[in-house]
Amino acid sequence: MGKIKTGKNNSKKDVIARKAAALFIKKGYTSASMRELAEAVGVEAPSLYNHIGSKSEILQTICFKIANEFTSHLDNTENSPVNALAQLETIIRFHIQMMLNNFDEVYVANHEWKHLKEPFLSNFLFQRRGYEKRLVVLLESGIKSDLFKKINPYVAVLTILSALRGLEFWQQHKKNISNQQLEEDMVNHLIKGLIK
Amino acid sequence: MGKIKTGKNNSKKDVIARKAAALFIKKGYTSASMRELAEAVGVEAPSLYNHIGSKSEILQTICFKIANEFTSHLDNTENSPVNALAQLETIIRFHIQMMLNNFDEVYVANHEWKHLKEPFLSNFLFQRRGYEKRLVVLLESGIKSDLFKKINPYVAVLTILSALRGLEFWQQHKKNISNQQLEEDMVNHLIKGLIK
DNA sequence: ACACAAAACTAACGCTTATTAGTTTTTATA
DNA sequence: TATAAAAACTAATAAGCGTTAGTTTTGTGT
């Protein structure tokens, strides 16, 4: 049938993962078949197994790649010398950038993690829960420093993360607004509602 | 094997739909099998077909029941004599109430609509898009009346709807905060960031 | 108690799934 | 150009899927 076309910096496994992410968005992980994925890649289904271990492994790769990017960015931010407000703004902007620049994989990590197999499922949820908790700590510190209103920090984190996640809908609408403007408006909406 | 237990005001079809919603949340629509659903209901799989037409029909029932509830509430709100800010607040509070009181069905409508069959899929998306547009009009009217900041109304609607959707995570966390407090904090966060 | 309808059951169908085995073709190296 | 490895292919497997057919049990009204 064909041959997998690789670019310069991406392996065949990368090509498969990228096509898979797009397919998982369109059909959902379970409904997306290896035969469909193979067709998107330009090859017969069994040929995929020369490059990947299993369908489930593709999902793992996508989910943990994204989870690790968020986690390591948070590591860096926490170590920066600026105050809680500036840290929060940095994090919000990073989420927005990730949604705009790595849409497919972020979407899959957000929507299809449910189909990870153990122990990956537990690991993923543990990592995500840890991320949320660190944000709550950040919010608490901002409240203690009198930077933020005395809102419940869990609620604030939930609100912010959910609003950011919702950028996935932007990809579909494509309104007449630049990414720059989008980012400023969202940061403004989410932050100014917090500042005293 | 058994018999479907119906309460007073719910038909056997309702019982199936309710169990199905819970199962669709746990496994996703595609991965949830009719045999699993049957077991949850307490019956053999083919027996379900005495009460429902198909698996897909269950999903349709759930999705449109929820969509219609949101649409008709918006109808009522738009006809109320209060200003845009008060209308927006009413709508936000309704979303929060729906998330807290009809969690399973709202979750399924939000996550599994992708698996609706045509023409239901198109109808559902059309209805949802219409809902969003009406909210944008509301935001625009609020901006024109100088009630809201001059933020992009699409971005604001996206931010608000996404944050509200994110209440689905609340169900899992169950932190030490009352529904009342949760509602006030979210409304405050989302609105006060808009008011001049 | 009898008759009819509702709702359960068992068995099975045709289809799709991810994956494996075994083989052939392509590519890279020397 | 010969050789070895990489990567494609075809064929097939076992398992699970939604659903249908046909039959038996259960419940209801007279």
Side-chain angles (χ1 to χ4, degrees):
Chain A
M1 185 174 190
K3 190 182 167 317
I4 300 181
K5 294 182 184 176
T6 63
K8 298 150 202 170
N9 295 332
N10 42 31
S11 68
K12 303 188 181 181
K13 192 167 177 173
D14 292 338
V15 174
I16 293 172
R18 191 139 29 86
K19 294 279 188 186
L23 190 61
F24 292 168
I25 291 174
K26 196 179 165 199
K27 317 260 288 188
Y29 173 78
T30 311
S31 298
S33 76
M34 294 303 282
R35 287 168 176 83
E36 281 175 299
L37 174 57
E39 187 175 8
V41 170
V43 96
E44 293 296 326
S47 304
L48 296 172
Y49 288 82
N50 286 321
H51 308 284
I52 60 156
S54 67
K55 184 185 182 185
S56 185
E57 188 202 76
I58 302 175
L59 184 62
Q60 289 161 32
T61 302
I62 295 170
C63 289
F64 284 97
K65 179 188 162 209
I66 295 302
N68 292 337
E69 286 191 47
F70 277 107
T71 299
S72 80
H73 180 270
L74 183 53
D75 292 343
N76 294 338
T77 306
E78 282 178 342
N79 290 332
S80 81
V82 300
N83 70 14
L85 172 58
Q87 287 191 8
L88 179 61
E89 184 171 334
T90 300
I91 292 163
I92 290 176
R93 288 184 190 277
F94 181 71
H95 273 254
I96 295 173
Q97 291 301 323
M98 286 290 284
M99 284 303 287
L100 295 174
N101 301 330
N102 299 73
F103 176 73
D104 286 9
E105 292 168 308
V106 174
Y107 184 101
V108 169
N110 280 342
H111 283 77
E112 306 295 333
W113 56 265
K114 198 178 295 190
H115 301 102
L116 287 169
K117 291 181 178 165
E118 292 292 358
F120 302 101
L121 176 58
S122 294
N123 291 159
F124 182 85
L125 289 176
F126 182 80
Q127 189 166 347
R128 198 178 68 172
R129 180 67 69 97
Y131 188 87
E132 290 165 5
K133 280 182 182 165
R134 288 163 74 184
L135 288 190
V136 168
V137 169
L138 179 62
L139 262 287
E140 282 168 343
S141 123
I143 293 170
K144 201 166 287 178
S145 315
D146 244 21
L147 287 164
F148 302 144
K149 286 183 186 170
K150 286 201 184 61
I151 199 173
N152 182 295
Y154 288 97
V155 178
V157 167
L158 179 92
T159 301
I160 291 169
L161 285 181
S162 302
L164 291 168
R165 238 179 91 123
L167 276 169
E168 70 187 41
F169 295 109
W170 201 256
Q171 203 80 357
Q172 299 157 322
H173 288 76
K174 285 289 184 195
K175 291 296 172 193
N176 295 331
I177 176 174
S178 69
N179 287 352
Q180 183 69 24
Q181 188 62 49
L182 172 65
E183 183 171 332
E184 295 309 320
D185 277 3
M186 276 204 77
V187 169
N188 190 53
H189 188 170
L190 291 173
I191 296 264
K192 291 287 170 58
L194 276 176
I195 295 180
K196 254 191 171 173
Chain B
M1 184 172 190
K3 190 180 169 317
I4 300 180
K5 294 182 184 176
T6 63
K8 299 150 199 171
N9 296 331
N10 43 30
S11 68
K12 303 187 181 183
K13 192 167 176 174
D14 291 337
V15 174
I16 294 172
R18 190 137 31 84
K19 293 281 189 184
L23 190 62
F24 292 169
I25 291 174
K26 194 178 165 200
K27 316 260 288 188
Y29 172 77
T30 311
S31 298
S33 76
M34 295 302 282
R35 287 168 176 84
E36 280 175 299
L37 174 56
E39 187 174 8
V41 171
V43 98
E44 293 297 325
S47 305
L48 296 172
Y49 288 83
N50 285 321
H51 308 285
I52 61 156
S54 66
K55 184 186 183 184
S56 185
E57 189 202 75
I58 302 175
L59 184 62
Q60 288 162 32
T61 303
I62 294 171
C63 288
F64 284 97
K65 180 189 162 210
I66 295 302
N68 292 336
E69 285 190 48
F70 277 108
T71 299
S72 80
H73 180 270
L74 183 54
D75 292 343
N76 294 338
T77 306
E78 282 177 343
N79 289 331
S80 80
V82 299
N83 71 14
L85 172 58
Q87 287 192 8
L88 179 62
E89 185 172 332
T90 301
I91 292 163
I92 290 177
R93 289 183 189 275
F94 180 71
H95 274 253
I96 296 173
Q97 291 301 324
M98 285 290 285
M99 285 303 287
L100 295 175
N101 301 328
N102 298 73
F103 176 74
D104 287 7
E105 291 169 308
V106 174
Y107 184 101
V108 169
N110 280 341
H111 284 77
E112 306 294 333
W113 56 264
K114 197 179 293 189
H115 301 102
L116 287 169
K117 291 182 178 165
E118 292 293 356
F120 302 100
L121 177 58
S122 294
N123 291 159
F124 182 85
L125 289 175
F126 183 80
Q127 189 166 346
R128 197 178 69 172
R129 181 66 70 98
Y131 187 87
E132 290 165 5
K133 281 182 181 165
R134 287 162 74 185
L135 288 190
V136 168
V137 169
L138 179 62
L139 263 286
E140 282 169 343
S141 126
I143 293 169
K144 201 166 285 176
S145 315
D146 242 20
L147 287 164
F148 302 142
K149 286 183 185 169
K150 287 202 183 62
I151 199 172
N152 182 296
Y154 288 96
V155 177
V157 167
L158 178 92
T159 301
I160 291 169
L161 285 182
S162 302
L164 291 168
R165 237 179 90 124
L167 277 169
E168 70 187 40
F169 294 111
W170 202 257
Q171 204 78 357
Q172 299 156 319
H173 288 75
K174 286 287 181 192
K175 289 297 172 193
N176 294 332
I177 175 175
S178 68
N179 287 352
Q180 183 70 24
Q181 188 60 49
L182 171 66
E183 183 171 332
E184 295 310 318
D185 278 2
M186 276 204 77
V187 169
N188 189 53
H189 189 168
L190 291 172
I191 296 264
K192 293 285 171 59
L194 277 174
I195 296 180
K196 255 188 169 175

